Amino acid sequence: MKKFSLLLMFSLLLFTSCKKDSVDATTTQTLQSSINDMASSLTTIKQIKFNEALYILKTFGVEAEGDVNELKALGQLINGKKVPEILSLADQVAQQNGIEWASTAPPSLGEMNIFGDEKAKESDPNDVRASSLSILTRLGGDTGNGPTSIQIVPRLVDNAGNPIAFTGAALETTLEVFSNGVKLTTAKNLMQDNNFKGFSLKFSSLLASKIFDNKIDVTVSVKTTAKTFKMSKIGLDVNPSALKVPEAPKTDSTMISQDPAVIDPNNPVPPTTDPSTTTPAQPKQPTADPKATVNKFLNNVSAQNLKAAFDASSNPSWGSYESFSNPTSGFGAIKNVNVKNVSTNASTANSSIVNATYDVTDKNGRTTSLKATFGLKNVNGEWKISSYKINP
């Protein structure tokens, strides 16, 4: 009997010691298992906040389409992290997205389950009964040159068009902005009650070149337990003077500046200016291989030395350094570049075409294989990237 008791105690000890205290994102099953292990060691309140944190990160901390891809991206984001690190990361994401949530605050989002159980419960705060969605818009930020932003406020309403009263929900709310059918930007937030402040869209975040006829269309969707409500507003006016306009590219001169002619006082006849006898200054020829410039550019992007990468270019389509290094839509979203091949396709004294094949891994862990063509030009004896095209 004593031997059996010792064996039982050893088995219980072994079972307890196998519980994980950090995320294992090897598979969806290990992700769920490790999260359950971590939650089981927390108090009830802490468990709720932990689940809320995971929901915040899955909804707003990763860029992916569909629940399966969101889970994979979430796993990559929190792999190896412990509960305090996950709560801290969720605080950062909530603050960046303007969400009124904090890991130290009381539970506020109801029962969250990132693994997809969306069946309505008896006290499910996300089971909001509404008939439709309405959108209120108002211009703001006018400092004398017209409005600089537009506030877009969605409201869940009843049959009579009156806002529905509810609290304690966590309704995933998405804003999509279009112009002439082209999507310009997407934003997400949580609607927790009927005092939801909506989205503040700054005109300075929209490229003027992408706006057709100074108008935008917006679509807002709100996801409840039973239904996703969606509504669009078409033809909203924007202030063209407040839109983002990339800095004009610097003009490169390949001509050597000539000093004025010096007249000898003992021979006051100035030198001849006959065009037929004047030899134009020749541009300085690059000594480096254009392939080296492309290799250096890709290596700097991979090392996140984006300033050096930007300085190796003279490409108007990349705009300013802020646009080039943007962490969402620019090269700032890249985590790593694995260069496979770089070859010169054509080259003259003043221009060159370089083809490159490489793998790009973004900060969510997604890897894409690319074939790109770089156009380069001679700028004062240096090769600068002047054009960039991704090939099919």
Side-chain angles (χ1 to χ4, degrees):
M1 180 64 72
K2 184 177 180 182
K3 184 177 180 181
F4 177 76
S5 299
L6 288 173
L7 183 62
L8 180 61
M9 289 175 63
F10 177 75
S11 299
L12 290 172
L13 181 62
L14 183 63
F15 176 77
T16 303
S17 64
C18 287
K19 277 194 172 183
K20 295 181 179 178
D21 63 351
S22 62
V23 175
D24 177 1
T26 306
T27 65
T28 303
Q29 288 72 24
T30 60
L31 174 65
Q32 184 165 13
S33 175
S34 60
I35 285 174
N36 290 340
D37 283 351
M38 294 161 69
S40 67
S41 63
L42 304 174
T43 64
T44 302
I45 298 297
K46 278 287 187 182
Q47 285 182 18
I48 296 173
K49 293 305 294 183
F50 181 49
N51 286 331
E52 289 182 358
L54 292 170
Y55 178 80
I56 292 287
L57 293 175
K58 176 174 176 277
T59 307
F60 304 100
V62 298
E63 290 290 336
E65 294 292 333
D67 284 339
V68 173
N69 291 330
E70 283 182 349
L71 271 179
K72 288 181 179 178
L74 173 65
Q76 292 169 348
L77 178 66
I78 63 175
N79 189 35
K81 287 183 168 55
K82 299 186 177 183
V83 172
E85 295 172 289
I86 292 172
L87 293 173
S88 176
L89 185 59
D91 281 326
Q92 295 174 30
V93 170
Q95 187 175 7
Q96 290 166 2
N97 288 273
I99 300 166
E100 296 179 2
W101 182 90
S103 62
T104 55
S108 56
L109 305 183
E111 289 189 53
M112 296 288 100
N113 186 343
I114 65 167
F115 295 103
D117 180 12
E118 295 183 3
K119 293 179 181 178
K121 304 174 182 66
E122 242 179 86
S123 59
D124 188 351
N126 289 339
D127 189 23
V128 180
R129 302 295 181 179
S131 295
S132 60
L133 182 68
S134 70
I135 300 177
L136 307 174
T137 60
R138 58 177 179 271
L139 298 170
D142 193 340
T143 56
N145 295 317
T148 59
S149 65
I150 183 170
Q151 193 75 16
I152 302 160
V153 184
R155 288 281 183 263
L156 289 171
V157 297
D158 59 20
N159 285 321
N162 299 315
I164 299 291
F166 63 93
T167 58
L171 306 181
E172 185 178 326
T173 306
T174 304
L175 167 70
E176 296 175 295
V177 182
F178 304 83
S179 184
N180 197 30
V182 177
K183 185 186 288 189
L184 306 179
T185 187
T186 301
K188 286 185 178 183
N189 210 326
L190 288 180
M191 184 186 292
Q192 295 178 267
D193 53 40
N194 59 351
N195 294 316
F196 180 52
K197 296 176 183 177
F199 302 87
S200 179
L201 178 64
K202 294 182 178 180
F203 294 148
S204 60
S205 67
L206 304 174
L207 276 173
S209 60
K210 301 286 187 180
I211 305 299
F212 179 77
D213 201 24
N214 295 328
K215 293 186 183 297
I216 58 172
D217 309 325
V218 299
T219 297
V220 179
S221 59
V222 179
K223 187 177 181 181
T224 68
T225 299
K227 182 178 179 181
T228 297
F229 295 90
K230 183 177 285 189
M231 185 181 182
S232 299
K233 275 211 167 184
I234 308 300
L236 298 176
D237 292 321
V238 299
N239 178 10
S241 64
L243 296 172
K244 182 178 180 180
V245 179
E247 295 177 9
K250 295 179 181 179
T251 303
D252 299 314
S253 175
T254 58
M255 301 298 291
I256 299 174
S257 177
Q258 301 295 308
D259 292 331
V262 178
I263 300 176
D264 185 348
N266 298 318
N267 183 19
V269 180
T272 179
T273 57
D274 184 353
S276 64
T277 62
T278 302
T279 303
Q282 294 299 315
K284 187 178 179 181
Q285 299 303 306
T287 58
D289 189 330
K291 288 191 300 184
T293 297
V294 172
N295 259 318
K296 188 176 180 181
F297 170 85
L298 293 173
N299 289 334
N300 280 326
V301 171
S302 183
Q304 290 294 290
N305 188 0
L306 298 181
K307 189 66 174 70
F310 182 75
D311 289 342
S313 70
S314 180
N315 185 6
S317 66
W318 282 341
S320 65
Y321 172 70
E322 288 70 26
S323 176
F324 174 87
S325 60
N326 188 290
T328 303
S329 58
F331 285 90
I334 295 175
K335 180 181 180 181
N336 181 59
V337 177
N338 179 28
V339 180
K340 293 183 175 179
N341 182 57
V342 178
S343 60
T344 303
N345 189 31
S347 188
T348 67
N350 293 315
S351 64
S352 182
I353 297 174
V354 175
N355 293 329
T357 304
Y358 52 94
D359 292 336
V360 171
T361 302
D362 64 20
K363 291 186 176 177
N364 291 324
R366 293 173 296 191
T367 300
T368 306
S369 296
L370 297 178
K371 294 179 180 178
T373 298
F374 293 81
L376 295 93
K377 66 180 180 179
N378 174 11
V379 179
N380 295 328
E382 286 186 294
W383 288 115
K384 297 278 188 180
I385 296 170
S386 57
S387 66
Y388 174 71
K389 177 186 175 184
I390 296 177
N391 303 313

